[in-house]
Amino acid sequence: MKMVSKSIQITFLKILIGLILGAWCCVWILKPTQLWKKSWHKAEDWADSTFTGESGINVLVFCFPLLAVAVLGYIYLHLYAKEGRIRKKAYFIGKFSNPIIPRSPMGIISGCELMASALFIMFLAWTYYSNVASDFKKLTPSKSIPLNRRQLKVMSLGVRFGSLSEACLALLLIPVLRGMALFNICGIQFEASIRYHIWIGNAIMFFSVLHGTIIMCVWGSKHSLWMEITRWQRTGRVYLAGAITLGILVIIWITSLPQLRRKNFQFFYLTHHFYALFLIFFLLHAGAGHFYLVFSGVLLFALDKILRVIQSRRTTCLISARILPCEAVELTLPKDPCMQYNPTSTLFVKIPSISNFQWHPFSITSSSNMEDDRLSLLIKCQGSWTNSLYHKLKSIGDSTSDDVKNFAVAVEGPYGPMNFPYHRYDSLILIAGGSGITPFLSILQDVASRNGRMNNYCKKVQLIYAVRKTQDLSMLTPISSVLLKEPADLGRVQLRLFVTKGKEGSRTSVEELLLEVSQLKTINLGEGSSSDRVPRPESSLSKATITGLASIVFLVALVCLTHVFVHQSKRNSLNKTPSWISDLLIICSFIIATSCSTTMVTILYMWKKTTKPSDKNSRSFSMNSERIQDVPKHEISYGQRPNLTEMLLEHIREAGESKVGVFVCGPDSMHESVASFCTKYYQKSGRKSKCLYEFHSINFSL
């Protein structure tokens, strides 16, 4: 009965979230029309006579819908996690999640992404057309400089590009939410949503440059560029603030280019924090009325930042570390026994002895179903930070002294999907290259931890792993002991290893390689006391409460401050109030709301810290001694790359009528190759094929 009621609650929440999102989208669609503008002026006149005032109605209409979706979304995630059902997606949903465009400058694009992008582009085109058409009907001469009709039209074209930047800015911060990720409702992980942030950021840059360039060209044609761009108006748009906003945006965008970001990540990381100045000057330039359109994303991002800072301000200590022959390290950290995470989850790590500012994400290789009090990370040397970590641990391992204690590590997370989808498939194909093996280790650990409780799911798991050198196969170290013991639930796991630069004379069996890497030396650094454990993140209900509290406090503070500092008799009197006062009231209300949220999060954190974790029975990972008769034989090939197309076709012939999950993590060429196969396979077979493939691209390069 409880399960039925919970299912009804989940369905109701999904419908309610859809309705609120639909209403919010309708507001954005109607906003550039004359009907909306006339109705909105009447609504503002009516709101002036109420307690909330003009600012209150702006918050209620433009900010609260998305904040309400966030609150309901966190409640939905809480109920979904409590229900704990394994759900199978409908056929058409699975098909839309498969790649449609396997190769493009923006990467692999699925059907859902293509459809969402097309709708958003249509919305931008509609917004621009409606605004420009409305402006052309009533061209108002500029008070500061005389412009002819042609120049007024060009000026209008430039101004309305700013409206498109504004629409993109409303969504810019949503994909980069970590602890308070809204995309989890759709099953999209944080690492995957980063690409949407990049797309939207490029669009903002494009529209903002057009916006500023066109307006400055018109001013330049009248020889008044310097006068206009340095003028700070008492009311209305502040052009100097707009120029500063554009300059900050250009700096952030240039340092975000892949070529510069990969060479100097710390410089990229530091300049990206200019977003605070960007938002402040955007508020001063656009004004309070336009800032309400983007405020909900700003508030959610600030709350997410507060949660992350409070969790990561306390350091933990390594329990142990292992140095792998492939210049990688496996770290083991103590964790709260109540912390649960799904396969492919990531943990952000900072090591103060290397850098006090750099945070780097790494996939968790262990399973919370197998170990209650610890988690593991596998880190490959691929930059200055990881090289420093490797050499630091290597020097500790080579040292004969026992004085090394308390290797401090600060962590943030873990972040991962609310329900990883591998359970719903009849078989899995895991394709990895190099360090891309790390998220798949957690999947294999999770399969092993279920110990025969998989029922009819995942009858077969095939891991295709390509590396350059033989020693790179030591990346399988975290799973080697599990694979060697061959429990009943891992009996259908088949390894197909490829060493692209190996020699024929170095041939050896997979079992010998696994046995060799399982005997690597472990550096013990401590036991990990209860005070040093990685704390579990805030629950979804806590996030819903924090978001709701911050939203209400912001509205109340803004209304009260407006009544105190701004006269509310008539709108005409409001126009005499300097614009910076309204802007300052928004900033003060934002500070009050985030301060209340910080206090609440700190109290929750201290209460959670003083509460003793419940004594959970340690999960026993019992091995079934009965050997399976049809265990697939592991294979290893030297001097060649995997022919992924042939291997996938071979799997289709063997799979028969089944649902297959294809997960890829590795170089871009590997992702594109598998995506191209899945795209061609659907184009040729369609619904006629009895074997249904679903493609999943896992990418952890942020």
Side-chain angles (χ1 to χ4, degrees):
M1 190 69 180
K2 289 183 179 179
M3 185 66 72
V4 175
S5 62
K6 196 164 291 185
S7 299
I8 294 174
Q9 292 173 4
I10 289 175
T11 304
F12 174 75
L13 282 174
K14 289 170 67 175
I15 295 173
L16 187 58
I17 289 172
L19 291 175
I20 296 175
L21 270 179
W24 187 63
C25 292
C26 288
V27 168
W28 277 92
I29 293 172
L30 293 173
K31 194 172 74 71
T33 63
Q34 284 298 321
L35 175 63
W36 172 269
K37 292 175 181 178
K38 292 179 182 178
S39 302
W40 185 246
H41 286 313
K42 293 180 181 178
E44 285 183 321
D45 291 335
W46 170 82
D48 280 340
S49 61
T50 64
F51 179 77
T52 59
E54 180 184 337
S55 58
I57 193 173
N58 273 281
V59 173
L60 290 172
V61 173
F62 295 116
C63 302
F64 266 31
L66 191 57
L67 295 173
V69 167
V71 173
L72 296 174
Y74 300 137
I75 298 174
Y76 166 78
L77 292 177
H78 170 76
L79 294 176
Y80 189 94
K82 287 291 183 182
E83 188 183 27
R85 292 190 304 172
I86 298 174
R87 303 186 177 192
K88 290 200 173 188
K89 291 196 299 184
Y91 177 86
F92 75 95
I93 297 178
K95 196 152 187 174
F96 272 115
S97 66
N98 274 300
I100 298 295
I101 304 176
R103 289 184 176 88
S104 74
M106 296 185 295
I108 301 169
I109 301 177
S110 67
C112 288
E113 292 170 341
L114 186 63
M115 184 169 59
S117 300
L119 290 174
F120 188 63
I121 292 172
M122 290 171 61
F123 159 73
L124 293 178
W126 158 254
T127 300
Y128 190 73
Y129 168 77
S130 299
N131 281 321
V132 170
S134 176
D135 291 344
F136 280 7
K137 289 180 181 178
K138 47 175 185 178
L139 294 174
T140 305
S142 175
K143 296 180 181 179
S144 58
I145 52 176
L147 299 175
N148 57 39
R149 187 173 181 82
R150 178 175 171 275
Q151 290 169 334
L152 286 173
K153 287 184 176 181
V154 174
M155 177 70 79
S156 175
L157 294 175
V159 169
R160 290 310 176 182
F161 276 119
S163 300
L164 302 187
S165 298
E166 192 176 76
C168 294
L169 185 57
L171 300 175
L172 178 67
L173 298 175
I174 304 299
V176 292
L177 299 177
R178 296 182 192 172
M180 307 186 77
L182 290 179
F183 278 99
N184 258 343
I185 302 173
C186 308
I188 301 174
Q189 290 185 243
F190 166 72
E191 294 77 19
S193 64
I194 287 293
R195 66 202 301 249
Y196 308 142
H197 173 75
I198 296 173
W199 295 354
I200 297 171
N202 288 331
I204 290 178
M205 181 64 191
F206 176 73
F207 294 134
S208 297
V209 168
L210 285 177
H211 170 69
T213 302
I214 293 175
I215 292 176
M216 287 188 286
C217 285
V218 174
W219 288 339
S221 66
K222 288 294 184 178
H223 307 287
S224 59
L225 175 61
W226 181 252
M227 181 188 70
E228 290 293 330
I229 206 171
T230 56
R231 195 156 58 94
W232 193 287
Q233 297 91 321
R234 185 174 181 272
T235 59
R237 312 243 171 167
V238 180
Y239 300 136
L240 178 58
I244 297 173
T245 304
L246 181 59
I248 295 172
L249 179 62
V250 170
I251 293 173
I252 293 175
W253 183 79
I254 290 176
T255 56
S256 301
L257 295 174
Q259 298 85 350
L260 297 178
R261 185 182 72 243
R262 290 166 184 163
K263 286 183 179 180
N264 197 332
F265 181 84
Q266 188 165 0
F267 185 63
F268 152 78
Y269 180 77
L270 292 175
T271 54
H272 232 62
H273 281 77
F274 288 170
Y275 67 80
L277 290 174
F278 170 80
L279 292 172
I280 290 173
F281 281 103
F282 171 78
L283 168 61
L284 296 173
H285 170 62
H290 290 267
F291 191 75
Y292 291 125
L293 300 173
V294 305
F295 177 76
S296 51
V298 175
L299 181 59
L300 288 173
F301 181 79
L303 297 178
D304 182 69
K305 191 77 172 179
I306 290 170
L307 289 176
R308 288 157 47 192
V309 169
I310 291 178
Q311 185 200 10
S312 62
R313 67 180 180 179
R314 184 167 63 95
T315 59
T316 185
C317 296
L318 283 181
I319 296 177
S320 63
R322 278 199 283 187
I323 307 295
L324 307 187
C326 61
E327 293 191 343
V329 291
E330 182 188 15
L331 308 181
T332 302
L333 299 166
K335 78 173 183 70
D336 190 315
C338 297
M339 178 194 292
Q340 296 290 310
Y341 52 85
N342 285 314
T344 72
S345 294
T346 59
L347 195 72
F348 279 75
V349 175
K350 179 184 76 172
I351 298 181
S353 60
I354 298 177
S355 173
N356 282 316
F357 302 103
Q358 291 193 42
W359 289 88
H360 295 271
F362 300 102
S363 53
I364 300 175
T365 57
S366 56
S367 170
S368 60
N369 293 324
M370 184 178 292
E371 293 181 307
D372 289 331
D373 58 352
R374 59 185 61 194
L375 58 83
S376 300
L377 306 170
L378 190 57
I379 301 174
K380 184 80 165 64
C381 292
Q382 293 179 331
S384 59
W385 189 90
T386 50
N387 279 317
S388 299
L389 173 62
Y390 174 79
H391 292 299
K392 196 175 188 66
L393 290 173
K394 194 172 186 298
S395 64
I396 294 174
D398 295 338
S399 175
T400 57
S401 174
D402 296 331
D403 296 336
V404 181
K405 298 292 181 182
N406 300 331
F407 192 94
V409 179
V411 298
E412 180 193 311
Y415 306 118
M418 64 175 178
N419 187 15
F420 192 69
Y422 85 86
H423 306 91
R424 64 171 174 257
Y425 299 111
D426 300 310
S427 60
L428 296 176
I429 301 178
L430 311 178
I431 304 173
S435 58
I437 188 64
T438 51
F440 297 149
L441 298 178
S442 62
I443 296 178
L444 295 176
Q445 295 268 29
D446 196 69
V447 171
S449 69
R450 296 182 179 275
N451 199 21
R453 291 174 288 145
M454 294 291 290
N455 297 326
N456 294 324
Y457 296 101
C458 295
K459 298 175 182 177
K460 182 179 180 180
V461 180
Q462 185 176 99
L463 174 62
I464 302 171
Y465 184 34
V467 296
R468 290 185 179 181
K469 301 177 182 178
T470 306
Q471 55 263 39
D472 292 337
L473 293 175
S474 59
M475 294 288 286
L476 295 170
T477 298
I479 201 70
S480 60
S481 58
V482 176
L483 292 171
L484 283 170
K485 293 178 181 178
E486 292 181 341
D489 33 330
L490 272 181
R492 296 296 295 168
V493 173
Q494 181 186 18
L495 300 184
R496 302 185 71 174
L497 309 178
F498 294 84
V499 183
T500 58
K501 293 186 178 180
K503 298 180 181 179
E504 292 290 333
S506 61
R507 284 184 180 274
T508 184
S509 67
V510 176
E511 289 75 11
E512 290 174 340
L513 283 170
L514 294 174
L515 182 61
E516 181 182 347
V517 299
S518 66
Q519 296 174 351
L520 292 173
K521 178 185 175 182
T522 299
I523 306 171
N524 294 312
L525 298 169
E527 294 296 327
S529 63
S530 58
S531 60
D532 291 334
R533 291 171 178 165
V534 177
R536 68 185 186 275
E538 297 297 332
S539 65
S540 297
L541 284 182
S542 298
K543 295 171 186 176
T545 305
I546 294 166
T547 306
L549 173 68
S551 306
I552 295 172
V553 170
F554 174 78
L555 176 60
V556 173
L558 182 62
V559 171
C560 293
L561 290 175
T562 303
H563 273 277
V564 173
F565 293 101
V566 180
H567 299 290
Q568 296 287 337
S569 56
K570 291 183 179 180
R571 288 192 67 208
N572 290 333
S573 63
L574 283 175
N575 291 332
K576 298 178 182 179
T577 304
S579 300
W580 64 266
I581 292 182
S582 300
D583 301 339
L584 185 60
L585 294 182
I586 290 179
I587 295 174
C588 292
S589 302
F590 174 77
I591 293 173
I592 293 172
T594 52
S595 298
C596 291
S597 301
T598 304
T599 304
M600 181 180 178
V601 173
T602 304
I603 293 172
L604 287 173
Y605 180 78
M606 296 302 296
W607 175 81
K608 185 171 60 176
K609 185 178 176 181
T610 55
T611 304
K612 293 183 178 180
S614 58
D615 293 332
K616 298 173 65 179
N617 295 327
S618 180
R619 295 183 178 88
S620 59
F621 180 44
S622 59
M623 299 293 182
N624 193 326
S625 59
E626 180 183 354
R627 191 176 179 87
I628 297 178
Q629 298 298 321
D630 58 345
V631 175
K633 185 178 179 181
H634 302 314
E635 301 176 5
I636 184 168
S637 302
Y638 289 87
Q640 63 180 17
R641 298 178 181 273
N643 188 336
L644 296 177
T645 301
E646 182 61 34
M647 297 172 79
L648 290 171
L649 287 172
E650 177 186 341
H651 192 278
I652 289 176
R653 291 190 291 267
E654 296 177 356
E657 187 173 355
S658 62
K659 193 173 183 180
V660 181
V662 183
F663 295 82
V664 186
C665 187
D668 292 340
S669 57
M670 181 175 285
H671 288 258
E672 293 174 355
S673 176
V674 179
S676 298
F677 170 82
C678 292
T679 303
K680 294 176 182 177
Y681 173 73
Y682 273 111
Q683 290 174 349
K684 291 180 180 179
S685 59
R687 285 181 173 269
K688 298 178 181 179
S689 176
K690 296 180 180 179
C691 182
L692 174 62
Y693 269 79
E694 286 189 9
F695 173 83
H696 300 268
S697 179
I698 303 176
N699 192 349
F700 292 96
S701 59
L702 301 183

